[in-house]
């Protein structure tokens, strides 16, 4: 009975901690990596940056530049560069897209590489403030850790009370799962803060040669001819029944029209 009362007191204490955490108006933030704060004003340590760069280069240079960017990201382990997505389209227009995440210094290297190999056509940056999610995550972790410590203390004092021990052990397992989830959530937030997202777009639309469209059309001549022939046959299949119906009905309509006009001519005479 005394153990159950203690368990209720622990739950009440946890609730008070949660209320106190939600009611606090200010809390000192944790330290971010020094590289993340270089050239940034104070108070921007919880901003998650996303950059976009568009470059125009020759058709023959799209694939080599795409491969250079991918290789440079994979080799830049010092800045933790991670290749998130990449695609190369060699259809009607040669173009490539690359999405990666790295520390600011790594992003600068990739942007410099792209700018050296082609002409920058677009460049932009946007930021998302993750200060509140980070603070909420820290408060949740603190609350769970305190609750876990209190449960562990109760587990030691449970003695021979099997029912109470089972309840505390079950609650400890639940708290441990929530702690792991909260830790992973915080790590993901900090990763977004400590590293930047970069989207690179490579195209050759502005530097196509005069004969490129002509060569492309000649290369697709056979395919276009067969496609046009197929469309013509399909259209003929739709038209033939209408032509046949018109050929049958037209003489009948003409004959009926003549019969209607014949009595009128007789009356006029």
């Amino acid at each position: 009975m005394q153990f159950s009362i203690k368990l209720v007191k622990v739950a009440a204490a946890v609730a008070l901690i949660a209320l106190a955490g939600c009611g606090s108006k200010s809390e000192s933030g944790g330290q971010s990596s020094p590289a993340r704060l270089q050239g940034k004003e104070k108070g921007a340590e919880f901003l998650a940056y996303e950059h976009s760069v568009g470059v125009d280069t020759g058709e023959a240079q799209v694939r080599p530049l795409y491969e250079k960017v991918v290789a440079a990201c994979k080799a830049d382990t010092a800045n933790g560069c991670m290749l998130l997505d990449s695609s190369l389209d060699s259809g009607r227009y040669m173009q490539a897209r690359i999405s990666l995440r790295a520390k600011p210094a790594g992003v600068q290297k990739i942007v410099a590489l792209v700018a050296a190999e082609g002409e920058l056509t677009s460049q932009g940056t946007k930021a998302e403030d993750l200060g509140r999610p980070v603070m909420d995550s820290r408060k949740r972790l603190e609350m769970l850790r305190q609750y876990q410590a209190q449960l562990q203390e109760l587990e030691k004092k449970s003695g021979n009370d099997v029912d109470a021990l089972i309840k505390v052990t079950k609650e400890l397992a639940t708290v441990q799962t929530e702690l792991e989830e909260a830790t992973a959530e915080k790590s993901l937030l900090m990763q977004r803060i400590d590293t930047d997202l970069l989207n690179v777009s490579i195209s050759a639309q502005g530097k196509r040669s005069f004969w490129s469209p002509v060569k492309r059309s000649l290369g697709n001549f056979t395919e276009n001819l067969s496609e046009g022939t197929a469309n013509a046959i399909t259209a003929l299949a739709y038209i033939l029944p209408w032509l046949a119906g018109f050929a049958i009905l037209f003489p009948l309509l003409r004959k009926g029209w003549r019969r209607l006009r014949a009595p009128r001519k007789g009356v006029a005479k």
Side-chain angles (χ1 to χ4, degrees):
M1 184 66 180
Q2 292 179 354
F3 186 79
S4 301
I5 295 173
K6 289 182 179 180
L7 188 60
V8 173
K9 290 182 179 180
V10 169
V14 172
L16 289 175
I17 293 171
L19 292 174
C22 295
S24 60
K25 295 183 179 180
S26 63
E27 182 176 345
S28 59
Q31 295 180 353
S32 297
S33 59
R36 194 69 187 87
L37 299 177
Q38 288 179 0
K40 294 178 174 61
E41 60 183 3
K42 186 178 180 180
E45 63 268 23
F46 292 127
L47 293 181
Y49 287 88
E50 180 179 351
H51 312 281
S52 59
V53 175
V55 64
D56 198 12
T57 185
E59 288 184 311
Q61 283 74 42
V62 172
R63 181 183 291 273
L65 180 54
Y66 165 80
E67 293 175 350
K68 282 184 180 180
V69 173
V70 172
C73 179
K74 291 181 178 179
D76 192 7
T77 55
N79 292 303
C81 188
M82 295 182 296
L83 188 64
L84 304 178
D85 186 25
S86 62
S87 63
L88 179 65
D89 186 5
S90 58
R92 187 173 183 183
Y93 299 109
M94 282 290 294
Q95 58 184 356
R97 295 184 180 276
I98 304 168
S99 180
L100 57 90
R101 180 175 289 279
K103 293 179 181 179
V107 170
Q108 291 176 6
K109 287 182 180 180
I110 298 296
V111 172
L113 172 63
V114 171
E117 297 288 337
E119 178 184 355
L120 288 179
T121 57
S122 64
Q123 189 172 5
T125 299
K126 63 179 181 179
E128 181 182 359
D129 188 3
L130 298 179
R132 181 175 292 276
V134 170
M135 295 301 177
D136 291 342
S137 178
R138 288 176 177 173
K139 291 173 184 176
R140 185 187 176 199
L141 277 171
E142 182 182 357
M143 180 186 70
L144 288 172
R145 285 167 183 160
Q146 290 183 6
Y147 187 31
Q148 184 185 47
Q150 291 171 341
L151 287 173
Q152 290 172 346
E153 188 66 24
L154 288 175
E155 186 181 26
K156 294 177 182 179
K157 297 179 180 179
S158 60
N160 296 326
D161 194 341
V162 179
D163 292 337
L165 183 60
I166 292 174
K167 291 180 181 179
V168 172
T169 303
K170 184 178 180 180
E171 188 68 15
L172 273 171
T174 302
V175 172
Q176 181 62 32
T177 302
E178 293 180 359
L179 267 172
E180 293 175 358
E181 292 176 354
T183 302
E185 181 182 354
K186 182 187 174 184
S187 298
L188 182 60
L189 289 172
M190 297 310 300
Q191 183 188 47
R192 292 180 60 190
I193 292 170
D194 293 335
T195 59
D196 292 359
L197 180 65
L198 175 63
N199 298 310
V200 180
S201 176
I202 307 171
S203 66
Q205 295 185 14
K207 294 189 176 182
R208 288 182 300 163
S209 64
F210 175 79
W211 295 105
S212 293
V214 178
K215 291 179 180 178
R216 187 176 296 109
S217 298
L218 290 175
N220 297 332
F221 178 79
T222 304
E223 182 181 353
N224 293 335
L225 179 61
S226 62
E227 188 71 21
T229 304
N231 292 334
I233 294 173
T234 302
L236 184 61
Y238 279 103
I239 293 173
L240 278 177
W242 293 94
L243 291 177
F246 181 76
I248 295 172
L249 293 176
F250 180 74
L252 298 176
L253 292 173
R254 186 178 180 183
K255 186 176 181 180
W257 177 255
R258 286 180 177 179
R259 287 181 178 179
L260 289 174
R261 289 176 60 88
R264 294 181 181 178
K265 291 181 178 179
V267 172
K269 293 179 179 180

